[in-house]
């Protein structure tokens, strides 16, 4: 289930407050901030913006490529 576009307009990374972008499958939101690189899972269309549940963006993209 995709994340609502109005919600994407206001979401920000809880670590560095940079905007987020959805990956191609919309299973994660990745921080666009320089040097942050956190990715937050999307569960049933709901972004989980809990820092302890975030992953490094490289590990998310590697997991999705498999």
């Amino acid at each position: 289930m995709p994340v609502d576009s109005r919600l994407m307009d206001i979401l920000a990374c809880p670590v560095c407050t940079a905007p987020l972008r959805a990956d191609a499958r919309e299973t994660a939101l990745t921080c666009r901030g320089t040097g942050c690189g956190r990715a937050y899972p999307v569960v049933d269309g709901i972004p989980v913006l809990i820092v302890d549940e975030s992953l490094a963006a490289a590990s998310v993209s590697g997991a999705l490529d498999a």
Side-chain angles (χ1 to χ4, degrees):
M1 178 183 299
V3 179
D4 186 283
S5 63
R6 294 175 294 175
L7 184 58
M8 288 301 300
D9 290 341
I10 62 171
L11 287 178
C13 176
V15 174
C16 69
T17 68
L20 299 171
R21 71 166 182 253
D23 66 2
R25 296 181 187 175
E26 295 195 12
T27 58
L29 301 180
T30 305
C31 177
R32 290 194 250 171
T34 305
C36 183
R38 303 306 294 174
Y40 302 91
V42 176
V43 180
D44 294 328
I46 301 169
V48 181
L49 300 179
I50 300 171
V51 176
D52 290 344
E53 294 190 25
S54 66
L55 301 169
S59 63
V60 170
S61 63
L64 294 178
D65 293 338

